[in-house]
Amino acid sequence: MTRAAKNKLTRHRLTTRLWHWINALCLLVLVMSGLTIFNAHPRLYWGEYGANDDYAWAAVGSSETLGYVRLGETKIETTGFIGNWRDSNGNIQTWAFPGWATIPSYYSLAEGRRWHFFFAWIFSVGLGFFMIRSLFDRHVQKDLHLTRSDWRPSHIWRDIKNHTRLRFHEADAVNIYNILQKFSYIGVIFIILPLMIFTGLAMSPAMDANWPWLTDIFGGRQSARSIHFLGMFLLILFFIVHMVTLLLAGPFRQTWAMITGGKRKGSGDA
Amino acid sequence: MHKFLTRRSLITSAALGAGGLLSGCDALSRSSGFQNILASAEDANFLVQRALGDRMELASEYSVADLSPKFRANGTRDPGTPVYAESAAQGFADWQLRLTGLFAKPQSFSMSALLSMPQRTQITRHDCVEGWSAIGQWTGVPLKLLLDLAQLQDKAKFLVFHCADLLGGRPYYESIDLLDAFHPQTIMAHRLNDEAVPIENGAPLRLRVERQLGYKHAKYVTEIEAVSTLDNIGSGKGGYWEDVANYEWYAGI
């Protein structure tokens, strides 16, 4: 069988699978190296400027004995986890995110930035290719397009009920995405991932000279930084939900399908 | 890259778990070969960002209403050397800015000479590599005027800014290329928010190079050296932070 013919019979195309695993690696490295960068100034602001004397809507604080996360006026003690924690040698460290959550595991802003920008390029080029390819091979229209019937409240409600009962697919339609899947995939691919690229660029002083509107649309440089950070939380949330549904829907078969492509129902040699 | 993407390496990394992954990343971080691969992204950033603008695009400028209530200082807050302290006590009346190296007419400018030249005032955002930003109003002499007076030679490719402060025992310095040097917003600033630049912000003279991150904006500048290569300056990476902590020479992102 030719590769093309084989591809037609698989649930996930080779390019989709490749992109999926590249994204998984990029997400991991980008989050962890991003936390290294965040550790250099663990405070978040709205607007164009924001430094230590200005009001931060979120901040990680630390002292020799205490670690805390402050959100608005709410202070949450996080000693032992964030802000104040012990490294593998038992020494107390007071930078925001602990070594196990950062790349590199020691504090180096320059190295964190190198990891971050290198994988940002891989991630961005991959997303660009995926979007262009999706336009041509109609992957988006076929698999992610929201049909009129998808939008029916009764349909959405039934899908939510199915999810709460941990029923994810009709038995004969494993390769058809349900409405909640479509919402989350469209939201992640077409909204959050591009948002991460553009809020990232909006923080760059050279981009500010080249494309000042980009910083403006996010409401300023510090707002872009805040949105970049919040977007990371949404991606982590997506990852967790993705993993939970994977576990519930059959982790081995699903993961194997994402590695090998899997087989479509009724593809002859199934 | 293909090394990352094989199925086997994916499965192996997964099996090694987070601990293995982390120590793996640390080992890669410490390997100079891998550092060079990672650093190639910076070359891409530089090329793409320089290609995007018309090369003289201005950084955003703001109004007085946008000023930060306080302009944060970072790095050296007071050079503290006897020479600097004495100069500060005299209000920096004796401060000299020397232009050396690849100039047809190397020369020295006094503060009063600099103050009598045409000035540029701009309200811009200072973006620190650490993540914070501050908006301040800067007044100073466009660097281009000084370069034209001293007649930069064709061989010159970079300008090196030598500073009066020591950081961690090493003299602070920074460098930029000629595209940034001749940029209309690149000024030798002596006023911040309509007052003489405070000591913590680089008195009496600091570089403003608005399209790059804060560590490029050298404070306490005493000498501008025109060179054809950065190899023989400091450890050869083009700046204090570049030498000491591997920061990128191009700080546009």
Side-chain angles (χ1 to χ4, degrees):
Chain A
M1 203 186 311
T2 66
R3 183 167 290 231
K6 199 177 166 191
N7 245 342
K8 280 197 181 123
L9 299 175
T10 55
R11 285 165 55 199
H12 309 290
R13 292 179 179 220
L14 180 66
T15 45
T16 303
R17 276 138 53 199
L18 207 59
W19 184 62
H20 171 272
W21 290 114
I22 290 171
N23 271 353
L25 177 72
C26 286
L27 180 71
L28 184 72
V29 174
L30 285 167
V31 166
M32 294 177 76
S33 57
L35 292 180
T36 301
I37 299 170
F38 181 78
N39 276 345
H41 188 72
R43 297 163 63 85
L44 295 170
Y45 313 85
W46 296 114
E48 280 286 10
Y49 64 79
N52 298 51
D53 294 300
D54 305 309
Y55 178 75
W57 68 267
V60 178
S62 52
S63 70
E64 284 303 312
T65 53
L66 180 76
Y68 64 87
V69 173
R70 180 176 62 72
L71 293 171
E73 299 308 319
T74 311
K75 228 172 169 179
I76 306 151
E77 203 191 311
T78 53
T79 308
F81 183 58
I82 291 173
N84 182 304
W85 43 277
R86 278 176 197 280
D87 63 19
S88 53
N89 298 323
N91 300 319
I92 289 179
Q93 299 284 354
T94 55
W95 19 291
F97 282 97
W100 59 261
T102 63
I103 291 177
S105 70
Y106 48 92
Y107 177 71
S108 168
L109 177 56
E111 288 175 28
R113 281 165 53 85
R114 283 190 179 175
W115 281 92
H116 203 71
F117 295 143
F118 185 81
F119 281 86
W121 268 107
I122 296 175
F123 159 75
S124 306
V125 170
L127 183 65
F129 270 118
F130 175 81
M131 284 182 166
I132 291 166
R133 196 216 61 173
S134 298
L135 277 179
F136 283 101
D137 76 357
R138 303 181 54 78
H139 173 53
V140 174
Q141 292 97 316
K142 277 187 303 196
D143 300 327
L144 295 178
H145 178 66
L146 292 162
T147 60
R148 189 167 293 181
S149 70
D150 280 341
W151 282 107
R152 279 206 315 271
S154 62
H155 183 115
I156 296 174
W157 179 238
R158 196 182 65 195
D159 196 37
I160 292 172
K161 278 197 299 193
N162 280 340
H163 270 80
T164 55
R165 290 176 195 147
L166 307 180
R167 281 210 312 245
F168 298 112
H169 292 293
E170 303 295 330
D172 57 346
V174 282
N175 54 322
I176 296 171
Y177 293 142
N178 57 52
I179 180 77
L180 291 187
Q181 258 180 315
K182 284 185 186 179
F183 273 139
S184 60
Y185 289 165
I186 289 171
V188 166
I189 295 170
F190 293 96
I191 298 173
I192 302 177
L193 296 185
L195 197 67
M196 294 308 280
I197 295 175
F198 288 113
T199 51
L201 287 173
M203 284 186 258
S204 146
M207 289 308 295
D208 175 57
N210 288 332
W211 294 355
W213 51 266
L214 186 64
T215 313
D216 291 343
I217 57 174
F218 294 118
R221 202 252 185 178
Q222 290 300 324
S223 296
R225 185 166 174 267
S226 289
I227 297 168
H228 199 69
F229 202 79
L230 292 171
M232 177 201 71
F233 273 112
L234 290 177
L235 288 175
I236 292 174
L237 188 70
F238 170 78
F239 174 78
I240 291 169
V241 173
H242 200 56
M243 286 300 109
V244 169
T245 47
L246 175 87
L247 285 172
L248 295 172
F252 294 109
R253 200 172 52 126
Q254 297 286 339
T255 307
W256 195 242
M258 232 342 161
I259 294 172
T260 63
K263 295 209 170 56
R264 281 187 190 267
K265 266 267 185 244
S267 60
D269 54 354
Chain B
M1 262 318 295
H2 68 279
K3 243 178 93 180
F4 280 114
L5 302 180
T6 62
R7 197 172 294 172
R8 179 172 300 169
S9 78
L10 276 169
I11 293 168
T12 313
S13 344
L16 281 173
L21 181 81
L22 266 184
S23 55
C25 288
D26 283 357
L28 285 171
S29 259
R30 291 197 177 101
S31 115
S32 65
F34 192 76
Q35 275 289 326
N36 290 339
I37 295 173
L38 290 181
S40 63
E42 291 290 340
D43 299 336
N45 292 338
F46 176 71
L47 291 171
V48 169
Q49 292 195 335
R50 281 286 169 90
L52 276 180
D54 74 353
R55 300 163 80 85
M56 282 294 142
E57 295 280 4
L58 298 184
S60 293
E61 295 193 12
Y62 301 84
S63 74
V64 175
D66 302 316
L67 289 175
S68 289
K70 181 178 178 353
F71 197 98
R72 182 183 158 171
N74 211 14
T76 306
R77 282 149 187 271
D78 185 345
T81 62
V83 176
Y84 183 84
E86 195 174 313
S87 185
Q90 299 170 25
F92 302 109
D94 63 340
W95 195 270
Q96 293 283 322
L97 176 66
R98 293 182 294 136
L99 267 61
T100 63
L102 300 172
F103 290 102
K105 293 181 178 170
Q107 56 192 289
S108 192
F109 298 96
S110 66
M111 282 307 288
S112 59
L114 293 172
L115 292 177
S116 67
M117 291 179 188
Q119 307 287 313
R120 181 185 161 91
T121 295
Q122 59 204 28
I123 300 180
T124 51
R125 199 187 62 226
H126 178 96
D127 296 330
C128 179
V129 65
E130 295 167 358
W132 55 269
S133 1
I135 295 181
Q137 175 180 295
W138 299 96
T139 300
V141 185
L143 182 56
K144 178 183 187 304
L145 291 182
L146 304 180
L147 301 180
D148 289 345
L149 284 171
Q151 297 180 18
L152 193 64
Q153 295 178 10
D154 290 344
K155 285 180 286 183
K157 294 282 176 285
F158 302 95
L159 295 182
V160 180
F161 298 79
H162 298 282
C163 306
D165 60 319
L166 298 174
L167 201 52
R170 298 169 70 124
Y172 196 94
Y173 78 100
E174 262 304 337
S175 64
I176 58 175
D177 65 9
L178 297 187
L179 199 70
D180 271 322
F182 283 98
H183 187 263
Q185 283 173 322
T186 301
I187 60 175
M188 297 309 296
H190 50 80
R191 290 185 82 73
L192 167 59
N193 295 341
D194 253 344
E195 286 170 24
V197 170
I199 288 179
E200 61 172 15
N201 297 110
L205 208 54
R206 78 173 297 176
L207 172 67
R208 294 299 309 170
V209 49
E210 304 293 356
R211 296 182 302 177
Q212 298 208 21
L213 296 169
Y215 63 90
K216 301 299 282 190
H217 302 223
K219 305 196 281 191
Y220 320 109
V221 178
T222 56
E223 180 187 342
I224 300 173
E225 183 185 2
V227 295
S228 58
T229 165
L230 298 169
D231 292 348
N232 308 317
I233 318 284
S235 306
K237 293 181 185 170
Y240 173 87
W241 285 108
E242 290 88 329
D243 287 344
V244 168
N246 265 328
Y247 280 34
E248 298 304 332
W249 175 79
Y250 174 68
I253 188 160

